[in-house]
Amino acid sequence: MTVKDIFNLFLLISALHGFLFCLLILFSKNGREKSMIFINLLVLIISLNNIQSWVLAKNFFIEYFFLDYIHIPWHFLIAPLFYMFLINYLEIEKRSKNILKIILPVFLLTISIRIGFVSFFSDKNTTDVAYLFEKYTSIEEIFSLIVSLIIFGYSFQILSKKEQLFTKILSFDNLKWIYTFFKLGLFTYVFWIIALAITVALDFKEFIYSYYPLRVLTTVLIYWIGYQAIIQLRLLKERKDLRKQLNFAPILEVKEQTEEEKDADKQLLFDKIHSLVEDKKLFIEPKLSADFLANELDISSAKLSNTIKLFSGKNFNDYINEFRIELAKELLTHENYKNYTITSIGLESGFNSKSTFYYTFKKHTGLTPTEFQKSTV
């Protein structure tokens, strides 16, 4: 099997996988969410592009001039659909531009130009026509690349303004997975630029093997963000539901101290710290720090840490994590949340990642969250 055969097989399998993905999302519980609709369309576009490339590579329409030269430029829609997913996931679509309304007419115009091009040359099936077609296709692709880069950059600019535009979503999702997508996306654009540069350098006359890694990378990247979006959307919905429904009871009781063991003023300060953390549920904020809490109480962070150590016997992080662990234990054993993912429970309890939650939970209880949940059934 040659490299070309392997690549063509990849195109076919990835296209079929994409169509199956779209069907599963379409009939899933969250399939009607706007953000998921755009992710689904994004996967569909890549799947259509791959099946089109496979059909053309297999020369199924070599005898039909019109069909062999009508290549739909699906790549025009990739960046706009990702942008639409982004603004809907971040819940800022009402304050953002609908770029798709601008790009769709351009996309349809390029298809019309292609049809006109093919119609004009349909009775002149010569080598020169093939050369002209490849040249036009590359010029069209360069235009698409420029437009895509502009939208990609604009999308990243929106994400960089997170503290001003969408503070609400940040309390549920740190968006690291989207930042990862941007990093990988930039890498993909480099491959695209290289492939186009080689095409131009070879005067549009030879098949460019550099498009192989580009198409593979693009496909994997789009499918990856599709699956990530499914996972993150579920976590987001569960965490919102948890925060909305839970009416927290006190998580930890203040340890009583005898007069010999404590100073009255220090005990009063500790009670104040404990009450602030408990009543305002500050512990569910992953970025809670000693400096922030000390500032709220108008004391130094050193005094805060020393007071916590004196009365709880723990350092600041262990003290806060104890609140988080107690809440997580409550949620893990609560009948209303037995179908929720352990990850969403951990994140909503104040941990910044699944791995941190599992490590800290086992450190405090001797069991993983999964083992703890099973032990209480």
Side-chain angles (χ1 to χ4, degrees):
M1 185 177 285
T2 64
V3 173
K4 186 175 181 181
D5 291 333
I6 295 172
F7 175 68
N8 288 335
L9 182 61
F10 169 82
L11 288 177
L12 178 61
I13 293 174
S14 63
L16 295 176
H17 170 264
F19 294 140
L20 179 61
F21 176 95
C22 292
L23 283 174
L24 290 174
I25 295 302
L26 186 63
F27 294 104
S28 69
K29 184 170 63 174
N30 296 323
R32 296 180 182 270
E33 294 279 343
K34 276 191 174 182
S35 57
M36 286 310 301
I37 289 173
F38 287 112
I39 277 292
N40 216 13
L41 287 172
L42 188 56
V43 172
L44 179 62
I45 289 299
I46 287 293
S47 302
L48 289 171
N49 185 68
N50 285 358
I51 200 71
Q52 174 179 264
S53 298
W54 177 75
V55 168
L56 294 170
K58 300 297 285 186
N59 294 320
F60 287 149
F61 300 129
I62 193 69
E63 302 297 328
Y64 305 95
F65 180 82
F66 193 84
L67 293 176
D68 196 41
Y69 278 81
I70 291 297
H71 307 170
I72 306 299
W74 298 111
H75 46 78
F76 264 102
L77 300 177
I78 295 175
L81 286 173
F82 170 74
Y83 165 83
M84 294 303 295
F85 153 73
L86 184 66
I87 62 173
N88 278 277
Y89 182 77
L90 299 177
E91 300 176 0
I92 57 170
E93 68 276 9
K94 293 180 180 178
R95 294 175 287 159
S96 304
K97 299 175 184 177
N98 190 336
I99 289 179
L100 207 55
K101 288 184 177 179
I102 302 171
I103 297 299
L104 272 177
V106 175
F107 174 67
L108 295 174
L109 178 61
T110 59
I111 295 176
S112 300
I113 294 173
R114 277 178 173 266
I115 293 173
F117 180 92
V118 174
S119 299
F120 181 77
F121 287 103
S122 59
D123 58 343
K124 305 171 185 177
N125 192 0
T126 65
T127 305
D128 290 337
V129 173
Y131 171 74
L132 285 173
F133 179 76
E134 291 299 331
K135 193 170 185 177
Y136 165 75
T137 298
S138 296
I139 292 171
E140 180 187 78
E141 195 175 337
I142 291 170
F143 174 64
S144 174
L145 171 63
I146 294 170
V147 171
S148 184
L149 278 170
I150 291 172
I151 296 173
F152 186 78
Y154 181 57
S155 299
F156 186 77
Q157 184 184 26
I158 290 175
L159 196 64
S160 66
K161 294 180 179 179
K162 57 185 179 181
E163 301 297 341
Q164 295 84 21
L165 290 177
F166 39 91
T167 52
K168 181 181 176 182
I169 199 76
L170 288 174
S171 66
F172 298 101
D173 187 350
N174 59 20
L175 305 178
K176 286 183 179 179
W177 64 287
I178 295 183
Y179 278 105
T180 300
F181 176 82
F182 273 102
K183 291 176 183 176
L184 295 174
L186 188 61
F187 188 61
T188 306
Y189 277 113
V190 171
F191 271 84
W192 193 0
I193 292 169
I194 291 172
L196 273 172
I198 295 174
T199 303
V200 174
L202 294 177
D203 197 24
F204 319 99
K205 291 180 180 179
E206 294 184 34
F207 178 78
I208 308 303
Y209 284 91
S210 57
Y211 276 93
Y212 283 169
L214 171 64
R215 286 175 181 168
V216 171
L217 186 59
T218 303
T219 301
V220 171
L221 184 57
I222 296 302
Y223 289 170
W224 173 82
I225 197 172
Y227 284 111
Q228 283 292 313
I230 294 172
I231 295 168
Q232 294 298 329
L233 188 62
R234 180 180 178 182
L235 291 176
L236 182 65
K237 290 175 72 67
E238 287 184 355
R239 292 189 66 185
K240 284 183 176 181
D241 191 43
L242 283 167
R243 197 168 296 187
K244 183 179 178 180
Q245 293 186 39
L246 282 178
N247 182 16
F248 300 128
I251 302 300
L252 296 174
E253 297 296 329
V254 178
K255 181 182 177 182
E256 292 187 10
Q257 303 286 324
T258 63
E259 288 300 321
E260 291 79 11
E261 295 174 319
K262 62 190 177 184
D263 175 85
D265 290 338
K266 290 181 179 180
Q267 176 66 53
L268 186 62
L269 176 58
F270 178 71
D271 291 345
K272 196 172 181 180
I273 294 169
H274 193 92
S275 178
L276 181 63
V277 174
E278 182 84 37
D279 295 343
K280 290 191 175 183
K281 307 297 182 291
L282 296 181
F283 59 88
I284 68 172
E285 171 53 55
K287 294 181 180 179
L288 179 64
S289 65
D291 288 338
F292 174 84
L293 194 54
N295 187 58
E296 288 287 297
L297 294 162
D298 197 25
I299 60 175
S300 68
S301 57
K303 186 174 182 179
L304 174 83
S305 298
N306 290 335
T307 303
I308 290 174
K309 182 71 174 177
L310 176 65
F311 289 96
S312 72
K314 302 176 179 66
N315 61 34
F316 176 79
N317 288 333
D318 286 341
Y319 173 71
I320 297 300
N321 282 338
E322 190 172 307
F323 284 94
R324 293 166 177 164
I325 293 297
E326 290 302 314
L327 174 58
K329 287 163 67 176
E330 180 182 328
L331 297 178
L332 286 168
T333 55
H334 200 294
E335 183 67 21
N336 291 348
Y337 311 113
K338 63 180 181 180
N339 293 324
Y340 282 46
T341 59
I342 289 178
T343 301
S344 63
I345 287 174
L347 294 174
E348 195 52 35
S349 297
F351 294 96
N352 59 13
S353 69
K354 178 181 176 181
S355 59
T356 302
F357 174 46
Y358 269 71
Y359 173 80
T360 308
F361 193 94
K362 187 164 187 178
K363 176 184 174 183
H364 281 252
T365 67
L367 299 171
T368 66
T370 305
E371 291 169 343
F372 175 82
Q373 193 175 50
K374 288 179 178 178
S375 70
T376 58
V377 175

